Amino acid sequence: MLRTLGIETSCDESAVAVLDGDGRVEVSLLSSQIEAHAPYGGVVPELASREHLRALPYLVDRALEPAGGSIEMVAVTAGPGLIGALLVGVRFAAAFAWGRGLPLVAVDHLEGHLVSALLSLGGEPARREPERVLALIASGGHSSWYLMDHGSRVRLGRTRDDAAGESFDKVAQVLGLGYPGGPVIDTLARRGNASAVPLPRPRLKDAPFDFSFSGLKSAAIRWIREHDVGVASEDDEPSSVVCDLAASFENAIVEQLLAPLPELAEIHRPHLVTASGGVAANSLLRERLMEWGSGHEVETLLPARALTTDNAVMIAHAGQLAHAAGRADDPRRLDARGREVWQPPGMRRACRIDEAVRES
Ligand code: KG4
Ligand code: ZN
């Protein structure tokens, strides 16, 4: 593999990383836009593009200081994501690669999340992908289970409505806890009683591996309104009732996400189970997944928390693997796409990654 500069600007994090030829992380930089979007309770697409434009040249300059001039290729997220935000990264990466005569690879953001579990921030090289990996992606825009096998990716189940992270964000917003909601619900849930608030766990009869989070989210919001709970300002100390709701909601989401696992494992006999995407930073999800793995003697691997949320390390590595498999994109023609960029190698047509993109 080649020493790679990775660039990620698909949503509200501007991220740049350099990986050596063995997939070892040399530099990983991130500029979060959370403060810029917080007053609006979610990501404002136009604001995201402008913030990327401000941050990216600075981050790349800083990444190249220790990494020196010996970058051998460039990998950039080209979709799915916010189209304006993606365009900033894609045009920057294309100009960088074209100006230096370097190979360029346009990476699918979801492929980045899929390979993130193979990477470490502790100076180790990237792990080789074993055969038959069952992989959960749970983030602000996606919630799906995949089978990764010999370089192919098949989606086995997906959300029919909201994504898990989106549901955390919405419930936190109604409680007055600010954005993003996942981390704060995670913190409050540790102090709450997970069986205090009864919440539904709907399953789809015709699609046992798919999820539905909208009924669960609406039930939680109804409960919050009926019981008139929440905080008046983000600095207020949340009551024990808020902590109970947080714990009950988190528990319901985690149970939903992991519900397909036993049957999927029975069918596919995985050598490894992984979870990635921002919601994979969740303490309860991590604990339950590790417990399941040790109970069933299946290796479970979770990325470091900093690699669960959007980052450029995973994009650089997905690009390295794709380039090693023969992929290269033309910097003069490369464009951003709001939806999927590639069907990852071997992805079957019927299982395309086609979830709607979070636009707000
Ligand atoms: O992967 P990511 O950074 O961006 C997308 O590709 O969407 O995921 C962001 C999402 C947000 O919805 C955020 O609330 C959620 O991940 N999240 C969490 C936690 N940390 C971030 N959800 C639950 N528990 C957490 N600790
Ligand atoms: Zn993501």
Side-chain angles (χ1 to χ4, degrees):
M1 294 188 302
L2 300 181
R3 186 148 182 256
T4 300
L5 173 70
I7 295 178
E8 152 67 39
T9 63
S10 68
C11 193
D12 59 345
E13 318 271 12
S14 317
V16 170
V18 177
L19 266 59
D20 77 6
D22 295 319
R24 225 179 252 108
V25 180
E26 292 183 5
V27 182
S28 174
L29 301 174
L30 192 113
S31 165
S32 171
Q33 303 179 359
I34 284 178
E35 275 179 29
H37 298 285
Y40 306 96
V43 178
V44 182
E46 179 56 30
L47 199 55
S49 313
R50 275 187 259 154
E51 293 289 314
H52 288 310
L53 209 49
R54 265 176 2 129
L56 210 48
Y58 170 75
L59 290 177
V60 170
D61 270 357
R62 272 196 51 203
L64 294 185
E65 270 167 32
S70 56
I71 297 296
E72 294 169 319
M73 68 165 266
V74 182
V76 62
T77 307
L82 302 172
I83 193 76
L86 287 163
L87 268 171
V88 175
V90 162
R91 293 322 313 158
F92 190 101
F96 187 98
W98 174 246
R100 289 167 179 74
L102 301 176
L104 174 69
V105 174
V107 172
D108 190 296
H109 183 78
L110 297 177
E111 175 65 13
H113 278 306
L114 285 177
V115 301
S116 65
L118 306 171
L119 296 160
S120 108
L121 290 172
E124 291 95 47
R127 210 175 132 166
R128 278 179 79 91
E129 185 181 312
E131 285 171 31
R132 296 203 308 283
V133 181
L134 273 181
L136 171 69
I137 300 181
S139 70
H142 302 90
S143 301
S144 305
W145 276 100
Y146 295 87
L147 178 66
M148 304 161 69
D149 196 15
H150 292 95
S152 82
R153 277 91 177 89
V154 176
R155 193 179 59 204
L156 304 170
R158 67 182 170 110
T159 178
R160 293 292 184 89
D161 38 57
D162 301 336
E166 196 180 358
S167 312
F168 276 122
D169 293 339
K170 186 70 202 171
V171 166
Q173 190 192 11
V174 176
L175 285 167
L177 296 170
Y179 174 85
V184 58
I185 290 197
D186 189 342
T187 308
L188 298 183
R190 309 282 66 79
R191 295 190 247 148
N193 171 3
S195 31
V197 180
L199 292 168
R201 284 143 173 80
R203 303 265 4 126
L204 300 157
K205 282 201 191 73
D206 58 329
F209 306 135
D210 281 0
F211 314 111
S212 168
F213 293 111
S214 78
L216 168 55
K217 180 192 72 182
S218 304
I221 292 173
R222 245 190 335 269
W223 193 91
I224 293 165
R225 296 210 166 118
E226 276 165 20
H227 294 77
D228 195 20
V229 295
V231 293
S233 101
E234 280 174 42
D235 302 325
D236 280 7
E237 185 57 30
S239 65
S240 63
V241 188
V242 172
C243 296
D244 286 349
L245 187 273
S248 305
F249 185 67
E250 177 194 71
N251 190 37
I253 294 261
V254 169
E255 282 185 9
Q256 291 283 84
L257 285 171
L258 296 184
L261 177 58
E263 204 177 331
L264 288 179
E266 191 70 36
I267 297 169
H268 298 287
R269 306 259 160 217
H271 287 125
L272 180 67
V273 175
T274 66
S276 57
V279 178
N282 180 266
S283 311
L284 185 70
L285 179 67
R286 294 174 83 86
E287 191 185 306
R288 293 266 170 88
L289 205 54
M290 297 311 283
E291 264 169 28
W292 184 90
S294 52
H296 291 78
E297 292 179 6
V298 178
E299 189 188 358
T300 38
L301 196 58
L302 294 163
R305 278 193 163 87
L307 292 180
T308 58
T309 44
D310 291 347
N311 64 84
V313 170
M314 66 185 194
I315 300 304
H317 189 53
Q320 287 183 311
L321 293 170
H323 185 263
R327 189 180 169 106
D329 291 274
D330 183 344
R332 292 164 304 175
R333 294 204 170 78
L334 183 63
D335 214 347
R337 301 235 206 122
R339 295 173 84 83
E340 83 275 13
V341 185
W342 6 302
Q343 289 185 39
M347 174 77 87
R348 287 181 208 149
R349 279 189 73 88
C351 301
R352 287 158 41 122
I353 300 171
D354 62 0
E355 283 103 324
V357 173
R358 182 173 58 155
E359 291 283 348
S360 62

